[in-house]
Amino acid sequence: AAGVIQSPRHLIKEKRETATLKCYPIPRHDTVYWYQQGPGQDPQFLISFYEKMQSDKGSIPDRFSAQQFSDYHSELNMSSLELGDSALYFCASSSPDRWAPNYGYTFGSGTRLTVV
Amino acid sequence: AQKVTQAQTEISVVEKEDVTLDCVYETRDTTYYLFWYKQPPSGELVFLIRRNSFDEQNEISGRYSWNFQKSTSSFNFTITASQVVDSAVYFCALNNAGNMLTFGGGTRLMVKP
């Protein structure tokens, strides 16, 4: 079965640089979520998109932005990177009907961002 | 506001022991989902189970079992006859009308041979 695809798997950037993370959701999943997991922490919700519109916003810094495109893939753009942005970034997608028996909420393998 | 608490930050057991990971949640919603995810050292989040708030039936899947009790707002996870490959961080998570997942702090399980 198709899964959530994230790229790249690993990324090393210097302080003040820009990074773009990509996420390809499971086909027919219309909602995409981004999470940030710092070392030894639980994943924290950043932002989500439903049908290409931002649906919820969590603890996403102003230096970060995201969007969902017409093919439902999403990109997380991070500018003026700081050392504290080093983390594992997960994308997840969910199916349209939250209360359907086959409702899914699936995570990608994550992108490990290291800022040096 | 919603919250998930995993009081056990770290558990160490010897292989073949049974182990229970606790999860307590808070939410004002009457309809919600509860999840368990496994995060092995490689880092990915592996889905284990999803339970909706209307289904209090316990579930067993091989060596894994889950006990959902709405009366105590708990959704505990038991691994029977633990194996070294079970070593990982396990997260309990809650999903309600806001759609995003709220995670607990995670429990690091170490299974020693």
Side-chain angles (χ1 to χ4, degrees):
Chain A
V4 176
I5 306 297
Q6 289 188 248
S7 66
R9 288 297 305 274
H10 301 274
L11 191 57
I12 299 176
K13 290 285 186 177
E14 295 188 355
K15 281 193 304 184
R16 292 179 289 277
E17 282 193 320
T18 297
T20 297
L21 310 185
K22 296 185 178 182
C23 169
Y24 296 85
I26 290 174
R28 291 182 294 281
H29 279 196
D30 57 3
T31 306
V32 168
Y33 311 81
W34 287 97
Y35 289 81
Q36 178 192 56
Q37 186 181 23
Q41 306 293 314
D42 56 286
Q44 295 292 316
F45 172 70
L46 292 178
I47 196 168
S48 63
F49 292 87
Y50 168 70
E51 286 292 344
K52 291 152 280 185
M53 300 286 289
Q54 180 182 308
S55 53
D56 281 299
K57 198 171 182 180
S59 50
I60 184 169
D62 292 340
R63 299 177 290 108
F64 293 7
S65 65
Q67 57 182 323
Q68 186 178 30
F69 295 85
S70 57
D71 64 351
Y72 292 99
H73 94 272
S74 179
E75 295 183 2
L76 177 66
N77 298 294
M78 311 157 71
S79 62
S80 303
L81 288 169
E82 302 172 357
L83 295 178
D85 296 329
S86 296
L88 198 49
Y89 289 83
F90 287 104
C91 172
S93 70
S94 67
S95 51
D97 186 352
R98 295 185 64 239
W99 308 115
N102 62 346
Y103 170 70
Y105 196 115
T106 307
F107 282 87
S109 298
T111 294
R112 188 172 295 280
L113 172 66
T114 304
V115 182
V116 297
Chain B
Q2 54 186 26
K3 186 179 177 182
V4 178
T5 302
Q6 295 179 252
Q8 307 145 308
T9 54
E10 231 174 76
I11 301 176
S12 182
V13 299
V14 176
E15 211 170 15
K16 297 183 184 172
E17 284 185 6
D18 298 346
V19 58
T20 295
L21 310 183
D22 298 332
C23 172
V24 174
Y25 62 93
E26 296 174 30
T27 180
R28 291 186 181 148
D29 293 308
T30 55
T31 51
Y32 50 88
Y33 275 106
L34 292 163
F35 296 78
W36 275 94
Y37 288 90
K38 173 182 180 180
Q39 188 172 44
S42 51
E44 70 270 26
L45 283 167
V46 179
F47 167 80
L48 294 179
I49 190 171
R50 167 185 58 89
R51 172 68 70 230
N52 75 51
S53 52
F54 297 116
D55 183 2
E56 286 196 71
Q57 208 170 19
N58 291 330
E59 182 155 339
I60 296 175
S61 176
R63 297 184 297 108
Y64 296 169
S65 62
W66 291 269
N67 182 3
F68 176 33
Q69 294 198 343
K70 283 182 76 171
S71 60
T72 55
S73 297
S74 65
F75 186 42
N76 297 338
F77 171 34
T78 298
I79 302 175
T80 303
S82 59
Q83 299 176 1
V84 172
V85 293
D86 295 327
S87 298
V89 179
Y90 290 86
F91 289 100
C92 179
L94 171 67
N95 170 227
N96 64 0
N99 289 315
M100 77 284 285
L101 282 180
T102 298
F103 285 85
T107 297
R108 181 177 298 277
L109 174 65
M110 291 175 288
V111 182
K112 300 177 182 177

